[in-house]
């Protein structure tokens, strides 16, 4: 079947069966995963209510893949992601993740070529590390812009205070605070022209 501009309609029935209206056949989550990997776009609707449930079905596919032992999502990432639910930064996370995965997708052919070179993949991993580092820096800059206005500023200050030795003199604490304030001001000044 040739790919069309319109996404394939998948209907999910109460018995949890998925029906591909494009091929008039029942499909599994694994079939849908294959469609995604093949670049075929689809939309999933609840057959009874007509509600679009594509997001939950795609999440279910990821869950199934993770349960098969193909752990693509590190535990640290999952914990950090869970922390963003209900947080003031929650609205920024989807666009950041979409941008990051889009960049990784665009660069994946370059990574594959570099992996095949004589260095045994070391160059590709360095390039991937660099991309991840840049994306992390961008996200942290965006996060810091909102930090003074969220409740997380107190949490960060407490965490930093907890890592300092209890015997440090008060003047050192004041100096450290001044330095942090200066560093924050510099960061804000660096971010200002980018707006």
């Amino acid at each position: 079947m040739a790919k069309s501009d319109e996404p394939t309609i998948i209907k999910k029935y109460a018995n949890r069966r998925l029906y591909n209206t494009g091929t008039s056949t029942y499909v599994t989550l694994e079939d849908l995963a294959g469609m995604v990997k093949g670049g075929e776009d689809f939309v999933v609707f609840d057959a009874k209510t007509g509600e679009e449930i594509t997001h939950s079905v795609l999440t279910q596919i990821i869950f199934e893949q993770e349960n098969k032992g193909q752990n693509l999502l590190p535990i640290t990432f999952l914990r950090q992601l869970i922390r963003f639910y209900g947080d003031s930064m929650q609205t920024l996370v989807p666009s950041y993740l979409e941008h990051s995965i889009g960049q990784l997708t665009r660069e994946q052919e370059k990574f594959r070529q570099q992996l095949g070179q004589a260095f045994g993949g070391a160059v590709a991993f360095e390039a991937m590390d660099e991309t991840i580092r840049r994306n992390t820096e961008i996200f942290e800059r965006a996060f810091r812009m909102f930090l003074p206005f969220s409740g997380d500023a107190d949490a960060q200050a407490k965490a930093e205070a907890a890592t300092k030795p209890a015997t440090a003199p008060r003047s050192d604490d004041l100096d450290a605070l001044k330095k942090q304030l200066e560093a924050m001001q510099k960061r804000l000044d660096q971010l200002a022209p980018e707006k």
Side-chain angles (χ1 to χ4, degrees):
M1 183 173 201
K3 290 183 185 175
S4 70
D5 292 338
E6 294 294 316
T8 302
I9 304 295
I10 307 292
K11 292 184 179 181
K12 185 173 184 179
Y13 290 93
N15 62 3
R16 300 175 59 110
R17 292 191 74 184
L18 299 161
Y19 184 76
N20 183 333
T21 60
T23 60
S24 300
T25 58
Y26 285 100
V27 293
T28 64
L29 289 175
E30 197 164 315
D31 295 328
L32 294 181
M35 289 171 68
V36 170
K37 290 175 183 178
E40 187 175 346
D41 196 14
F42 60 84
V43 180
V44 184
F45 292 98
D46 183 289
K48 185 176 182 179
T49 65
E51 176 186 3
E52 183 183 338
I53 56 172
T54 309
H55 187 274
S56 64
V57 170
L58 291 173
T59 305
Q60 191 175 0
I61 291 170
I62 292 170
F63 178 76
E64 293 289 325
Q65 295 296 316
E66 290 286 316
N67 274 339
K68 287 180 182 177
Q70 300 177 9
N71 297 336
L72 189 62
L73 303 173
I75 289 174
T76 305
F77 171 80
L78 293 172
R79 287 185 177 153
Q80 289 171 340
L81 191 60
I82 290 168
R83 286 183 188 120
F84 281 114
Y85 283 98
D87 187 89
S88 61
M89 297 299 293
Q90 180 176 340
T91 56
L92 293 178
V93 173
S95 58
Y96 170 76
L97 292 176
E98 197 170 344
H99 172 75
S100 296
I101 201 73
Q103 187 173 354
L104 179 62
T105 302
R106 287 187 296 275
E107 299 290 327
Q108 79 181 36
E109 188 55 41
K110 215 186 297 184
F111 290 148
R112 286 182 181 161
Q113 289 173 359
Q114 290 173 344
L115 278 172
Q117 292 178 349
F119 295 107
V123 174
F125 289 116
E126 287 174 17
M128 193 175 344
D129 283 344
E130 176 63 21
T131 300
I132 291 168
R133 187 187 62 72
R134 280 195 318 252
N135 287 344
T136 304
E137 285 174 1
I138 291 168
F139 185 68
E140 285 175 351
R141 262 192 288 164
F143 186 74
R144 282 189 203 116
M145 284 184 359
F146 295 98
L147 192 60
F149 307 109
S150 73
D152 293 338
D154 292 334
Q156 184 184 18
K158 287 177 185 175
E160 288 175 2
T163 60
K164 289 186 180 182
T167 59
R170 283 196 165 288
S171 63
D172 289 345
D173 288 344
L174 191 56
D175 291 339
L177 284 173
K178 287 179 183 177
K179 289 179 184 177
Q180 286 177 348
L181 214 71
E182 290 172 4
M184 282 178 61
Q185 184 62 47
K186 285 179 185 175
R187 283 188 221 131
L188 286 172
D189 291 343
Q190 290 172 346
L191 291 172
E194 294 177 14
K195 291 183 181 178

